[in-house]
């Protein structure tokens, strides 16, 4: 998915949906790191991609929380 489309998709979600997506992304990152440590991970660039997605989610989440205040 393109970054611009992904961010637009995040902007349309509610705070609860963003929180759920953040938890899912963190779980995925944990699993990727675990696979990398046991040499089972083929696509190591996925770790970097998931980390950036987590940052994007957190940015949109903080914007929405600050806008609500």
């Amino acid at each position: 998915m393109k970054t611009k489309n992904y961010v637009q998709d995040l902007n349309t979600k509610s705070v609860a949906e963003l929180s759920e997506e953040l938890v899912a992304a963190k779980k995925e990152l944990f699993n990727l790191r675990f696979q990398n440590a046991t040499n089972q991970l083929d696509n190591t660039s996925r770790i970097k991609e998931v980390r950036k997605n987590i940052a994007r989610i957190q940015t949109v989440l903080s914007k929405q929380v600050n806008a609500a205040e």
Side-chain angles (χ1 to χ4, degrees):
M1 182 182 288
K2 294 278 187 181
T3 303
K4 195 172 191 179
N5 293 337
Y6 184 69
V7 173
Q8 288 174 347
D9 182 45
L10 290 177
N11 284 326
T12 61
K13 294 187 177 186
S14 68
V15 174
E17 291 172 327
L18 287 171
S19 297
E20 289 175 16
E21 191 156 339
L22 182 61
V23 169
K26 286 185 176 185
K27 285 181 183 179
E28 182 181 1
L29 181 61
F30 174 80
N31 289 331
L32 289 172
R33 285 181 174 162
F34 190 78
Q35 289 175 4
N36 193 31
T38 58
N39 292 323
Q40 295 177 345
L41 186 61
D42 296 329
N43 185 8
T44 56
S45 65
R46 182 76 179 128
I47 293 174
K48 186 176 180 181
E49 184 181 335
V50 172
R51 286 181 58 220
K52 287 186 177 188
N53 285 344
I54 289 172
R56 288 182 185 108
I57 294 167
Q58 288 175 332
T59 301
V60 173
L61 191 60
S62 68
K63 282 183 186 178
Q64 288 190 2
V65 169
N66 289 339
E69 291 177 351

